[in-house]
């Protein structure tokens, strides 16, 4: 090989769908040279998706604040002093108007979030109306309502729900350091109900809460090794919120976030991997690196529940600069 000849790229081997990942295997991905890791993730990505297409979802908080849970990252917990006012469940017509506005700006999926431990029967009936009305617009529907009780997933399915979001948040071994009011097993039980009802699963985690690289790898393993990998995997970069226990969490190395995106893409090759919270703090260049590492979905619009998000005009400009299209 001459001094100017490029080195051969490492071979990419895509494990079968039945492959059970180990923490050691995913840690090995994290520890690869970054360029090799991104190359492998992009190669896997191109086997299953259009590399220049990004799915855009809008997220609306339909019921804000007053949640009884103690999630250490969350501004909506009633146990944290974050100066967030508690609001009632929004009227259905206001939710539909917001969905129409999001659709007009290019969002194809509309996600509705409510700050509950879980929905009560009367509240769920109103959410079912929201799902039906948004579905009638021709948009994909998603809700995140907390932990479900028996029979509620089936009602959501009947109303036309496409996706149910319920993140694992973090590795089971680190979970108790972030949340004490319920266990990760409670979350897994809700995911089991969602899957049994025939609803697509949206589940991911939050990176940068003080967890170790091994914890991050273990979270990816938990998601990939579910009986069926989530169809949608949101990866959130913690936005520290004053008044929450994680307000002073140290900032994560941006390249570690990119490595997490790549690990999610390689281990869950057919899932939509979504850039979620924390994107407003990312440069355009960092977002482009995440897309190269296999992210192909993003939240679109000015707000994510109670935290900020890049405005639609900035995202449109980024798409034009990168030559990617919205789906």
């Amino acid at each position: 090989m001459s001094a100017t000849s490029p080195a051969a790229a490492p071979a990419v081997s895509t494990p079968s769908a039945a492959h059970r990942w180990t923490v050691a295997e995913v840690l090995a991905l994290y520890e690869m040279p970054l360029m090799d890791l991104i190359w492998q993730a992009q190669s896997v990505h191109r086997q299953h998706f259009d590399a220049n297409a990004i799915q855009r979802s809008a997220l609306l908080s339909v019921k804000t604040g007053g949640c009884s849970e103690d999630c250490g990252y969350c501004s909506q917990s009633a146990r944290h002093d974050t100066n967030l006012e508690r609001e009632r469940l929004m009227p259905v017509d206001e939710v539909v108007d917001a969905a129409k506005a999001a659709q007009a700006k290019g969002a194809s999926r509309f996600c509705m979030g409510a700050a509950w431990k879980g929905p009560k029967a009367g509240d769920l009936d109103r959410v079912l109306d929201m799902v039906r009305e948004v579905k009638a617009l021709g948009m994909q529907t998603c809700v995140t309502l907390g932990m479900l009780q028996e029979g509620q997933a089936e009602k959501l399915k009947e109303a036309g729900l496409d996706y149910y979001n319920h993140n694992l948040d973090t590795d089971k071994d680190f979970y108790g350091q972030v949340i004490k009011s319920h266990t990760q097993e409670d979350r897994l039980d809700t995911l089991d109900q969602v899957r049994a009802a025939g609803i697509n699963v949206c589940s991911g985690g939050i990176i940068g809460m003080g967890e170790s690289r091994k914890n991050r790898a273990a979270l990816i393993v938990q998601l990939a090794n579910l009986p069926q990998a989530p169809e949608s995997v949101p990866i959130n970069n913690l936005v520290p919120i004053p008044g929450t226990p994680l307000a002073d969490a140290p900032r994560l190395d941006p390249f570690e976030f990119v490595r997490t995106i790549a690990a999610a893409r390689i281990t869950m090759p057919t899932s939509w991997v979504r850039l979620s919270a924390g994107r407003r703090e990312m440069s355009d260049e960092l977002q482009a690196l995440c897309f190269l590492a296999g992210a192909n979905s993003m939240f679109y619009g000015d707000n994510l529940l109670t935290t900020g998000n890049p405005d639609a005009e900035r995202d449109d400009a980024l798409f034009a600069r990168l030559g990617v299209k919205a789906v």
Side-chain angles (χ1 to χ4, degrees):
M1 180 183 295
S2 69
T4 58
S5 299
V12 174
S13 176
T14 303
S16 69
H19 181 74
R20 298 284 294 177
W21 289 90
T22 67
V23 174
E25 287 175 327
V26 177
L27 269 176
L29 293 176
Y30 270 90
E31 291 162 4
M32 291 174 66
L34 182 62
M35 300 310 154
D36 289 347
L37 175 61
I38 291 176
W39 184 88
Q40 181 166 336
Q42 176 65 195
S43 299
V44 170
H45 183 64
R46 286 173 178 265
Q47 294 175 25
H48 302 280
F49 291 99
D50 181 342
N52 296 302
I54 308 294
Q55 189 271 331
R56 301 203 289 203
S57 299
L59 176 61
L60 177 68
S61 179
V62 299
K63 189 275 176 184
T64 303
C67 183
S68 63
E69 300 302 283
D70 67 354
C71 306
Y73 53 80
C74 188
S75 64
Q76 303 200 66
S77 171
R79 309 188 192 201
H80 308 328
D81 184 12
T82 61
N83 296 316
L84 184 71
E85 292 187 10
R86 180 174 182 171
E87 299 176 2
R88 295 180 179 275
L89 186 62
M90 289 178 64
V92 174
D93 59 344
E94 291 183 15
V95 173
V96 175
D97 287 344
K100 289 178 179 178
Q103 187 178 40
K105 290 183 177 180
S108 60
R109 184 182 304 166
F110 193 70
C111 305
M112 295 159 275
W116 292 318
K117 178 176 183 178
K120 297 179 181 178
D123 292 327
L124 182 65
D125 288 342
R126 289 174 62 187
V127 172
L128 296 176
D129 288 338
M130 295 175 190
V131 171
R132 293 185 189 100
E133 294 291 333
V134 174
K135 184 75 171 179
L137 300 176
M139 300 184 79
Q140 291 183 347
T141 54
C142 177
V143 297
T144 177
L145 310 174
M147 289 172 280
L148 296 177
Q149 300 175 31
E150 185 176 351
Q152 291 183 327
E154 287 76 11
K155 290 182 179 179
L156 288 163
K157 174 66 175 179
E158 291 172 4
L161 186 68
D162 295 301
Y163 287 83
Y164 192 91
N165 167 259
H166 204 50
N167 291 333
L168 293 188
D169 282 350
T170 191
D171 166 40
K172 63 180 180 181
D173 291 336
F174 189 71
Y175 196 86
Q177 297 185 48
V178 179
I179 302 167
K180 293 183 172 60
S181 55
H182 63 266
T183 68
Q184 197 188 67
E185 285 298 322
D186 293 326
R187 290 180 179 258
L188 288 167
D189 177 67
T190 287
L191 292 183
D192 287 344
Q193 293 183 56
V194 169
R195 183 65 77 193
I199 300 170
N200 291 314
V201 168
C202 176
S203 188
I206 305 171
I207 309 303
M209 298 192 291
E211 77 284 347
S212 67
R213 174 176 278 186
K214 184 177 180 181
N215 292 137
R216 289 188 279 277
L219 170 64
I220 296 298
V221 167
Q222 283 183 266
L223 292 165
N225 286 352
L226 289 171
Q228 183 177 341
E231 284 78 9
S232 180
V233 182
I235 304 295
N236 298 272
N237 198 4
L238 177 71
V239 178
I241 298 173
T244 65
L246 292 175
D248 298 320
R251 299 299 291 170
L252 186 73
D253 180 351
F255 292 143
E256 188 73 4
F257 186 81
V258 175
R259 290 179 184 277
T260 303
I261 294 290
R265 170 51 65 218
I266 292 168
T267 58
M268 293 172 277
T270 62
S271 301
W272 295 89
V273 177
R274 179 180 301 127
L275 290 185
S276 298
R279 199 166 61 81
R280 187 173 67 173
E281 289 73 29
M282 296 181 187
S283 68
D284 286 355
E285 292 79 7
L286 177 56
Q287 292 183 68
L289 200 57
C290 289
F291 295 145
L292 190 62
N296 63 338
S297 179
M298 58 187 270
F299 276 122
Y300 183 70
D302 297 342
N303 292 291
L304 298 180
L305 297 180
T306 63
T307 59
N309 200 47
D311 60 49
E313 289 74 18
R314 176 186 165 186
D315 285 335
D316 290 342
L318 177 60
F319 274 43
R321 292 173 67 198
L322 297 179
V324 299
K325 61 187 177 184
V327 296

